[in-house]
């Protein structure tokens, strides 16, 4: 049931990741940085950076000595450790808003810097005009996902109360919309396979249903992902309202499951 390409790095790297994880969690526990909707939302560029770095790894653009740290799932642990230490360093700063000096803004800025470096490396990796055309397609996927996610979020805000989830809820909706749309385009237009067995079953089920060929075989996967993202936000509303720290963190993890793989897809399409 594990995704294709999923595997643990060699033992020395695995031990280093384990030690780094313990150290990062320890730093967060001791420093107790602010856990708010804003600071958890600030982790979004870190999630996207993890997906982009994994795409670079698959394209063979990561130097060999560091490559085991950027496979799956190691890359998300690597990025998580870095984010954890940066977050811990910002413990003395408030994180309720997006003022330039607050923890949320600085955490997001550092994550955006890492994402920018990954995207520059991806741009350098491109080697042909055909790949450049795919980069435009990746941009279109991001735009469609942003518009679609925004419309879903606006609809949720109008038909039910999801105000407690705030910007974290919006990231969940966008992340899962991006994952659904990018998977559908990769599967239906670019000839990419689906790495996750459960997702592949959903796509195959959609392809077997009597629907217009224009929708493509992955239409059901897009529907499932978008509905799932919206439903999770609705279900988490009361939990986040009663336990904002735990609720925001769990929503952040759910957002990462969509945003990381989704951004991985668009970067991989552009460079492979």
């Amino acid at each position: 049931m594990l995704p294709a390409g999923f595997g643990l790095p060699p033992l020395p790297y695995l031990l280093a990741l384990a030690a780094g994880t313990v150290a990062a969690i320890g730093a967060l526990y001791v420093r107790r940085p602010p856990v708010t909707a804003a600071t958890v939302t600030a982790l979004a560029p870190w999630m996207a950076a993890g997906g982009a770095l994994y795409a670079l790894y698959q394209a063979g653009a990561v130097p060999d000595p560091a490559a085991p740290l950027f496979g799956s799932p190691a890359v998300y642990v690597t990025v998580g450790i870095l984010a954890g230490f940066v977050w811990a360093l910002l413990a003395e700063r408030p994180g309720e808003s997006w003022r330039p000096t607050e923890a949320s803004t600085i955490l997001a800025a550092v994550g955006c810097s890492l994402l920018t470096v990954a995207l520059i490396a991806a741009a350098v990796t491109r080697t042909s005009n055909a790949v450049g055309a795919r980069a435009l397609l990746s941009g279109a996927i991001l735009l469609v996902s942003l518009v679609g996610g925004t419309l879903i979020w606006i609809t949720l805000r109008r038909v039910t109360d999801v105000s407690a989830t705030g910007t974290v809820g919006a990231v969940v909706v966008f992340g899962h919309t991006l994952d659904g749309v990018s998977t559908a385009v990769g599967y239906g237009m670019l000839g990419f396979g689906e790495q996750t067995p459960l997702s592949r079953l959903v796509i195959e089920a959609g392809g077997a249903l009597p629907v217009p060929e224009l929708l493509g075989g992955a239409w059901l996967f897009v529907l499932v992902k978008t509905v799932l993202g919206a439903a999770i936000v609705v279900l988490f509303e009361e939990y986040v309202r009663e336990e904002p720290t735990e609720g925001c963190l769990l929503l952040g993890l759910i957002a990462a499951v969509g945003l990381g793989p989704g951004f991985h897809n668009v970067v991989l399409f552009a460079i492979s």
Side-chain angles (χ1 to χ4, degrees), residues 10-154:
L11 184 59
Y13 293 90
L14 185 61
L15 292 175
L17 288 174
T21 300
V22 171
I25 293 175
L28 290 169
Y29 180 79
V30 172
R31 297 278 293 167
R32 301 295 177 95
V35 180
T36 65
T39 53
V40 174
T41 301
L43 296 174
W46 294 87
M47 303 170 193
L53 290 169
Y54 180 42
L56 288 173
Y57 166 84
Q58 288 186 300
V62 178
D64 290 341
L69 297 176
F70 295 93
S72 176
V75 64
Y76 298 108
V77 179
T78 301
V79 173
I81 291 170
L82 294 175
F85 280 123
V86 173
W87 200 357
L89 288 173
L90 299 171
E92 305 301 326
R93 297 176 181 269
E96 301 293 336
S97 71
W98 295 97
R99 295 187 184 92
T101 58
E102 293 209 9
S104 49
T105 305
I106 298 173
L107 184 61
V110 177
C112 286
S113 297
L114 178 62
L115 177 59
T116 299
V117 170
L119 293 178
I120 291 173
V124 172
T125 302
R126 293 189 301 127
T127 57
S128 70
N129 291 332
V131 175
R134 285 193 175 185
L136 293 176
L137 179 60
S138 291
I141 292 171
L142 283 171
L143 180 60
V144 169
S145 300
L146 181 60
V147 172
T150 300
L151 291 175
I152 294 170
W153 179 246
I154 291 173

Side-chain angles (χ1 to χ4, degrees), residues 178-269:
L178 176 62
D179 189 22
V181 172
S182 61
T183 298
V185 172
Y187 184 86
M189 296 178 60
L190 302 179
F192 282 83
E194 173 53 43
Q195 292 183 316
T196 306
L198 182 58
S199 299
R200 189 161 56 246
L201 287 174
V202 174
I203 292 173
E204 292 172 354
L209 293 174
V211 296
E213 188 175 338
L214 179 64
L215 292 177
W219 70 272
L220 182 61
F221 183 75
V222 178
L223 179 62
V224 168
K225 289 292 288 186
T226 52
V227 170
L228 180 63
I232 287 172
V233 171
V234 173
L235 292 173
F236 265 72
E237 163 66 21
E238 184 176 351
Y239 181 38
V240 174
R241 193 177 296 279
E242 295 178 355
E243 300 288 344
T245 298
E246 294 180 8
C248 282
L249 284 175
L250 282 175
L251 268 184
L253 289 175
I254 293 169
V257 172
L259 187 56
F263 217 86
H264 158 263
N265 287 343
V266 297
V267 175
L268 185 64
F269 297 164

